Amino acid sequence: MTRALVCYRCVLQAARDAISNQVTPVFQLYEQHIDTLGLAAAVERSPLAPSVADMLEWLQDIDRFYRNQFLRRKVLLQSIKPDNVSQLLSVPQAWSRLSPPDSEDFISDALMKVSFFMDSR
């Protein structure tokens, strides 16, 4: 059982790191070109294209969501005592309660915004 929990934590950490590893270079690229881009261009949006600021906000929201999920679940896994059977039996319910009720909608909405932008290009 302990081995399985460690495996879950490793998978969660890998997912969190994968998201962060995608977000970080985007922000670094933005920071490198902020002087060329300018603030006005960064916040300019049109009916067909979001602003750079909007897209960066979406990335931050998704990154924050997965970081929070990782930390909550890590704390849950660390609090489990292998010799406490009742606690072990309650882990699936506790795990489910950690997901906000609108988490799937949150991710779907962010992906829909991105796909709408990509489809309109």
Side-chain angles (χ1 to χ4, degrees):
M1 181 67 167
T2 306
R3 219 178 278 154
L5 295 175
V6 169
C7 182
Y8 279 130
R9 193 179 81 195
C10 291
V11 169
L12 287 171
Q13 187 169 357
R16 181 209 59 190
D17 292 346
I19 298 293
S20 292
N21 289 339
Q22 296 297 315
V23 171
T24 301
V26 172
F27 275 89
Q28 289 173 344
L29 183 65
Y30 170 73
E31 289 171 358
Q32 289 172 358
H33 298 285
I34 186 69
D35 293 334
T36 307
L37 180 64
L39 182 60
V43 297
E44 182 181 337
R45 63 171 67 117
S46 75
L48 296 177
S51 70
V52 171
D54 290 335
M55 291 184 281
L56 292 172
E57 182 180 10
W58 300 338
L59 289 173
Q60 279 184 319
D61 290 346
I62 291 169
D63 187 46
R64 186 178 316 108
F65 173 80
Y66 281 108
R67 284 181 176 278
N68 286 338
Q69 285 295 304
F70 169 74
L71 291 174
R72 288 178 182 158
R73 293 169 194 278
K74 179 181 174 183
V75 167
L76 173 65
L77 294 176
Q78 289 175 335
S79 70
I80 296 170
K81 297 187 179 20
D83 57 337
N84 186 332
V85 176
S86 65
Q87 184 185 34
L88 288 172
L89 293 173
S90 69
V91 168
Q93 294 85 9
W95 187 272
S96 295
R97 285 192 304 269
L98 291 176
S99 293
D102 60 347
S103 62
E104 288 182 26
D105 292 339
F106 170 77
I107 299 300
S108 296
D109 288 349
L111 293 174
M112 192 178 330
K113 290 174 190 175
V114 173
S115 67
F116 175 76
F117 168 68
M118 296 304 289
D119 290 344
S120 67
R121 295 194 89 205

